[in-house]
Amino acid sequence: MEAEFVFELPDAEIFYKALKVEERNVLTETQIDLIDGKLVIRIKAEDLAELRASVNAWLRTIKACLDVL
């Protein structure tokens, strides 16, 4: 199962740099890119529960970054 999210954020490069270091510290296969000034997160998981947990974790992390900035 896969999910892809594209975020148009002010200062997307700051988010990219902050999140990229976390990319290797997760259980699911996650790829974080900065494409045309947009933050792109791709998540691959073996089942729906794993995908949902990973998506929730990334969304909470992005929300925390937004709250800080």
Side-chain angles (χ1 to χ4, degrees):
M1 305 195 88
E2 296 181 30
E4 178 178 289
F5 298 91
V6 179
F7 298 93
E8 293 185 35
L9 300 165
D11 301 321
E13 188 173 350
I14 294 170
F15 283 85
Y16 170 75
K17 289 177 181 178
L19 297 175
K20 188 69 175 176
V21 296
E22 297 298 325
E23 183 180 58
R24 288 178 256 135
N25 298 331
V26 295
L27 297 175
T28 56
E29 183 181 333
T30 303
Q31 182 179 351
I32 300 172
D33 295 305
L34 187 63
I35 301 172
D36 297 328
K38 298 175 187 171
L39 181 68
V40 179
I41 300 178
R42 292 181 191 94
I43 303 167
K44 292 183 182 178
E46 291 186 22
D47 59 44
L48 184 59
E50 189 177 285
L51 181 64
R52 182 173 116 355
S54 187
V55 166
N56 286 338
W58 282 110
L59 291 176
R60 280 193 307 271
T61 303
I62 291 169
K63 169 91 168 73
C65 290
L66 282 168
D67 290 345
V68 168
L69 293 176

